[in-house]
Amino acid sequence: MRQLRKVWVRAVALALLAVVAVGVAQLVAPLIPQSWTGSIGVESIDQVLNILASSMLAVTTFSLGIAISAFSAAASTATPRASALLQQDPTTQNVLATFLGAFLFSLVGIIALQAGYFSSTGRVVLFAATAGVIALVVLALLRWISHLMTFGRMENTLDRVEAAAASSLETRLANPFLCARPLVSGIPTSCVPLCASGAGYVLHVDVGALDRVAGDLNAKVWLDALPGSFVHEAQPCLYIEREIGDKDALEKLREAFTIGTERSFDQDPRFGLIVLSEIASRSLSPAVNDPGTAISVLGRLVRILARWRDDPSSEIAYLNVFVPPVSSADLIVDAFRPIARDGASCIEVQLRLQKALHALASIRPNVFADPASKMATDADSWARESMSASDYAVLKSAPKAGANSEEREVG
């Protein structure tokens, strides 16, 4: 699935479609009446294809340069981790694929015409196909122009990261234990650790494969490395009920973990929060000095975390695997600690931070009251050391998460 999001997949698909269209044109030619060849200016098809080939090559190169500039802008103004979402943008990929497909279509058409491949009726079919390709190119250009109005801008980048983080969290909340049994009481001390096959971030865990292998071994396994965890050869990724001597089975257990060099948004709800927090931290640096972006990020973080549901129950399909839940304390730390630290001297950011933590503690008191209260205390401590006395006096009057028991009963 990750490969399908790459631009070359769409480009190759449309390019092959263009080549097939040129090849099919001559096969369809016998169905075209001979009288149509005189009423349609098919002799001009050579010039049309030449114009299309030369213009599409230039447009493709120019559009690719614009896309790369947008990726670089997102990496420099927001965070390099956000540029991956722009690279997966379907509109950009479809437009580039359309331009490249049109170029290859015209190129193949020119070669076929020069080789004498088409009959007079075949030229009619090619002319109709060319008209269809031109219509697709015009639509792609109009869509591309509209898309460039926002593509790569800070607000657009924030929207993409928020959507990715919210989607990942919603997916995990709908299946908090990945269809396995919940691990709520800790891993038994008698279990045997199984370390990862290499160093990197866990991108995906095939819980079904773990369950099948564990069932064959008549053993239980406890997952210790959720997607987003960094593992290595000395880091256990799971624990097994007892010592297993079957090396093939142990290797199959390791193969259930997809390990990569960079974290992914897909199964890792914490990563989206980290990326948003990175954007806020960069905006608070002395070189940028943009507290407005940090305040915008705080609002987005509240919207994402407010999706949390108190009932973590889910269907259990894999009885041999135990999976730990996502920690609400980890989510609060990932989302707010960098902002609290880097914005300690900014009264506007600190006020909004305290309000954000207070909102989460009120919306989901059973989940966020304690971690939000601790984070509010840490933020207040950093602010007291960095702020002026007058600003800190204003901050002290702001509502604090978990300041009293009544606040925890709200919502």
Side-chain angles (χ1 to χ4, degrees), residues 9-343:
V9 176
R10 286 181 169 87
V12 169
L14 280 178
L16 291 176
L17 186 61
V19 174
V20 170
V22 173
V24 171
Q26 183 61 21
L27 299 178
V28 181
L31 304 177
I32 305 299
Q34 187 67 32
S35 58
W36 288 17
T37 59
S39 59
I40 300 177
V42 295
E43 297 301 326
S44 63
I45 188 64
D46 304 67
Q47 298 179 4
V48 174
L49 288 175
N50 279 310
I51 294 173
L52 191 62
S54 59
S55 60
M56 283 300 97
L57 181 60
V59 169
T60 302
T61 304
F62 180 69
S63 298
L64 185 59
I66 293 176
I68 292 175
S69 298
F71 301 155
S72 300
S76 60
T77 59
T79 174
R81 262 63 62 190
S83 60
L85 294 176
L86 271 70
Q87 294 171 9
Q88 297 172 4
D89 175 56
T91 299
T92 303
Q93 294 187 0
N94 289 335
V95 166
L96 291 175
T98 300
F99 294 159
L100 183 58
F103 168 72
L104 292 178
F105 170 85
S106 57
L107 192 62
V108 174
I110 292 171
I111 294 173
L113 285 172
Q114 296 300 320
Y117 175 73
F118 291 105
S119 63
S120 57
T121 52
R123 284 173 171 259
V124 174
V125 180
L126 182 62
F127 185 87
T130 304
V133 169
I134 292 175
L136 289 177
V137 168
V138 171
L139 291 175
L141 280 172
L142 293 175
R143 189 179 184 187
W144 186 227
I145 291 171
S146 175
H147 191 62
L148 289 179
M149 297 296 102
T150 58
F151 186 59
R153 306 297 189 270
M154 176 62 79
E155 194 71 17
N156 180 255
T157 303
L158 287 172
D159 289 341
R160 292 174 186 275
V161 178
E162 180 184 357
S167 176
S168 180
L169 184 61
E170 286 276 12
T171 301
R172 188 59 188 274
L173 290 176
N175 188 14
F177 302 104
L178 307 179
C179 291
R181 298 169 67 177
L183 173 57
V184 294
S185 59
I187 300 174
T189 56
S190 59
C191 290
V192 179
L194 178 67
C195 296
S197 58
Y201 291 98
V202 177
L203 303 181
H204 174 77
V205 181
D206 189 347
V207 182
L210 292 177
D211 183 71
R212 287 192 298 272
V213 177
D216 294 339
L217 296 173
N218 193 25
K220 301 291 189 295
V221 296
W222 284 260
L223 188 67
D224 193 46
L226 291 172
S229 303
F230 185 81
V231 295
H232 49 79
E233 290 85 345
Q235 171 70 39
C237 55
L238 60 82
Y239 286 83
I240 311 174
E241 185 176 12
R242 64 177 186 275
E243 190 73 38
I244 301 296
D246 189 343
K247 294 184 178 180
D248 291 337
L250 295 178
E251 187 60 29
K252 290 180 180 179
L253 290 174
R254 291 190 179 95
E255 290 175 354
F257 293 82
T258 302
I259 299 176
T261 57
E262 299 290 340
R263 295 176 74 167
S264 169
F265 291 92
D266 295 336
Q267 283 196 345
D268 185 3
R270 295 177 59 183
F271 185 51
L273 302 177
I274 292 172
V275 173
L276 280 173
S277 188
E278 283 184 356
I279 296 174
S281 291
R282 175 169 292 194
S283 70
L284 293 171
S285 66
V288 179
N289 192 22
D290 179 21
T293 295
I295 291 173
S296 175
V297 167
L298 287 170
R300 295 171 187 273
L301 291 172
V302 172
R303 284 199 297 270
I304 294 170
L305 293 176
R307 300 169 182 264
W308 188 282
R309 295 189 291 273
D310 290 336
D311 182 14
S313 61
S314 65
E315 180 184 356
I316 299 176
Y318 307 120
L319 299 178
N320 299 310
V321 184
F322 292 83
V323 174
V326 175
S327 169
S328 59
D330 290 339
L331 296 179
I332 292 293
V333 170
D334 292 336
F336 296 106
R337 183 169 61 184
I339 305 175
R341 181 192 62 234
D342 297 333

